[in-house]
Amino acid sequence: MFALEKMGCHYQESPSFIIDRPLGCGNYLLLLFLSDIYIELQGEKQHYEKGTIILFSPDQKQYYHQ
């Protein structure tokens, strides 16, 4: 059973934003990026194009920036 805790739509970050949560956020996190993004997965940072969707598990490291 899942419960939706928060939701955002068309939220725009500043060009200098960085999300760095080494221990995750304690919940599943589903993101759809509307601009190009850099995401670190399993210790490797890679560039992804707009339209990328990612699902982080509750304890998965979250690191991404424009």
Side-chain angles (χ1 to χ4, degrees), residues 18-33:
I18 295 175
I19 296 297
D20 187 6
R21 298 181 186 117
L23 303 176
C25 64
N27 297 304
Y28 285 96
L29 176 63
L30 178 68
L31 299 169
L32 164 62
F33 294 102

Side-chain angles (χ1 to χ4, degrees), residues 9-59:
C9 185
H10 293 280
Y11 189 80
Q12 190 169 8
E13 299 283 359
S14 71
S16 62
F17 95 102
I18 295 175
I19 296 297
D20 187 6
R21 298 181 186 117
L23 303 176
C25 64
N27 297 304
Y28 285 96
L29 176 63
L30 178 68
L31 299 169
L32 164 62
F33 294 102
L34 301 178
S35 60
D36 288 5
I37 193 80
Y38 289 90
I39 304 172
E40 183 180 317
L41 296 171
Q42 298 177 346
E44 269 191 54
K45 186 164 52 168
Q46 294 186 18
H47 176 261
Y48 294 88
E49 294 182 359
K50 67 181 180 180
T52 294
I53 298 173
I54 187 166
L55 175 65
F56 288 103
S57 61
D59 58 352

